């Protein structure tokens, strides 16, 4: 009798776990809409607020750098102006290598060098999710390439992770930070140079200019000038509320990411903070 009861309980637990398991589309939505913050570049805005009625139909911002002038592409399934005519394999290749189906390499403002470490299942999940979003016809201005781009390999993210790697909080934090492409801004001194993952890893210093004035990407290393004196709670607050350790409110572009960090799972935020603690100090 006791054995039958245990077997029955095990079946109930297994059934509940199966019922609550994340589907590929749900996982893809989390990676795209939360971790990757893809809408920040690929969704238009009205008075500074993302227009979700036109989600993923093309970004509001023009990226004008020494190598290119581009806008965030239409990544809805529209066949003429989006990615609806792309095969799943073509979409996977673009995510991981930056090479479009027509053979043109994407501008490096698209952080594809950071995506090489993604689990194949996560790449598939992103593809599955993007197939489900509303197809919106919107022709985004064609990119202009001015000079040879430099796509710098991201140390530790040059090959896919294994599922077991994500069981380690620090490795999981690095994995999530790569999809969130934190070091695309925090390891770059200016838009005139590519990220420097050896001499500038986590130092910040890149300037962003806009109607708000000038903001400089923060030092997120473990130095005293960075996050060395911050508590975990203070790091969590700046990410999810946009309030710095000294009470200042963040400015663009980082303040735009707060809406995304708010939707991260608690355990994933914990992992991100655990990884941040391991960044060597750099002044």
């Amino acid at each position: 009798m006791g054995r039958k009861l245990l077997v029955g309980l095990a079946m109930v637990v297994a059934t509940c776990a199966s019922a609550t398991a994340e589907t590929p589309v749900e996982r893809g939505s989390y990676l795209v809409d939360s971790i990757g913050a893809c809408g920040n570049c690929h969704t238009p805005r009205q008075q500074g607020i993302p227009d979700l009625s036109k989600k993923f139909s093309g970004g509001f911002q023009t990226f004008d750098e020494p190598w290119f002038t581009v806008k965030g592409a239409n990544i809805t399934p529209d066949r003429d102006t989006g990615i609806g005519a792309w095969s799943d394999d073509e979409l996977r290749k673009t995510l991981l290598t930056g090479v479009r189906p027509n053979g043109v390499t994407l501008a490096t403002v698209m952080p594809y060098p950071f995506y090489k470490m993604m689990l194949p299942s996560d790449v598939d999940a992103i593809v599955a999710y993007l197939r489900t979003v509303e197809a919106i016809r919107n022709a985004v201005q064609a990119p202009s390439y001015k000079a040879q781009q430099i796509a710098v390999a991201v140390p530790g993210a040059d090959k896919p992770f294994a599922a077991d790697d994500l069981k380690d909080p620090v490795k999981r934090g690095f994995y999530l930070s790569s999809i969130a492409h934190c070091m695309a801004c925090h390891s770059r001194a200016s838009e005139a140079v590519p990220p420097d993952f050896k001499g500038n890893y986590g130092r910040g210093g890149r300037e962003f200019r806009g109607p708000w004035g000038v903001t400089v990407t923060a030092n997120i290393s473990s130095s005293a000038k960075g996050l060395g004196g911050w508590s975990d709670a203070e790091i969590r607050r700046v990410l999810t509320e946009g309030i710095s350790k000294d009470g200042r409110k963040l400015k663009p572009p980082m303040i735009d990411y707060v809406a995304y960090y708010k939707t991260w799972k608690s355990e994933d935020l914990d992992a991100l903070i655990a990884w941040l603690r391991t960044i060597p100090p750099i002044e």
Side-chain angles (χ1 to χ4, degrees):
M1 183 69 178
R3 186 170 181 273
K4 289 182 178 180
L5 178 60
L6 288 174
V7 171
L9 287 173
M11 291 178 65
V12 169
V13 170
T15 300
C16 291
S18 176
T20 59
E22 200 174 34
T23 67
V25 170
E26 289 170 338
R27 175 65 175 173
S29 174
Y30 180 59
L31 293 171
V32 170
D33 293 329
S34 295
I35 304 298
C38 301
N40 205 47
C41 287
H42 290 283
T43 296
R45 297 188 184 188
Q46 293 288 344
Q47 297 180 336
I49 299 174
D51 184 354
L52 297 183
S53 70
K54 299 178 181 178
K55 185 176 179 180
F56 298 146
S57 66
F60 71 102
Q61 180 180 359
T62 298
F63 298 92
D64 188 5
E65 299 195 3
W67 303 281
F68 50 75
T69 300
V70 300
K71 293 190 74 168
N74 182 337
I75 58 171
T76 76
D78 182 71
R79 292 189 63 83
D80 296 323
T81 64
I83 59 172
W86 297 20
S87 70
D88 288 358
D89 284 343
E90 287 171 335
L91 186 48
R92 290 188 195 95
K93 180 179 179 180
T94 302
L95 284 170
L96 297 177
T97 69
V99 179
R100 294 169 57 96
N102 63 4
V104 174
T105 300
L106 295 173
T108 50
V109 70
M110 172 64 177
Y112 60 86
F114 290 86
Y115 298 159
K116 292 181 183 294
M117 32 55 67
M118 280 199 291
L119 299 173
S121 60
D122 276 348
V123 178
D124 290 344
I126 289 174
V127 172
Y129 170 62
L130 289 177
R131 297 301 190 199
T132 70
V133 304
E134 180 184 357
I136 299 174
R137 184 177 180 82
N138 180 44
V140 177
Q141 71 181 48
S144 171
Y145 298 106
K146 308 170 190 176
Q148 180 66 40
Q149 304 174 73
I150 301 174
V152 182
V154 182
D158 55 343
K159 60 183 179 180
F161 269 41
D164 282 348
D165 289 330
L166 303 191
K167 296 176 182 178
D168 178 277
V170 172
K171 289 182 179 180
R172 185 182 186 88
F174 174 70
Y175 181 82
L176 296 168
S177 78
S178 296
I179 299 175
H181 49 281
C182 303
M183 289 301 179
C185 288
H186 290 282
S187 290
R188 194 173 180 186
S190 79
E191 66 180 21
V193 297
D196 177 3
F197 298 123
K198 291 184 178 180
N200 206 57
Y201 194 77
R203 178 189 283 166
R206 182 182 178 184
E207 291 186 349
F208 288 87
R209 299 175 183 274
W212 63 86
V214 179
T215 52
V216 180
T217 52
N219 185 327
I220 60 170
S221 77
S222 54
S223 77
K225 291 183 177 179
L227 301 177
W230 292 46
S231 68
D232 288 0
E234 287 167 338
I235 296 175
R236 183 180 286 265
R237 184 178 74 160
V238 77
L239 291 173
T240 61
E241 299 178 33
I243 306 298
S244 187
K245 177 182 171 68
D246 60 7
R248 289 181 297 110
K249 186 175 181 179
L250 296 182
K251 294 181 180 180
M254 190 62 191
I255 190 64
D256 296 329
Y257 288 91
V258 170
Y260 297 96
Y261 282 114
K262 283 182 177 179
T263 65
W264 281 41
K265 297 174 183 177
S266 181
E267 60 268 29
D268 285 342
L269 274 173
D270 289 342
L272 182 69
I273 293 170
W275 166 73
L276 285 169
R277 298 298 192 194
T278 69
I279 300 174
I282 182 171
E283 301 300 327

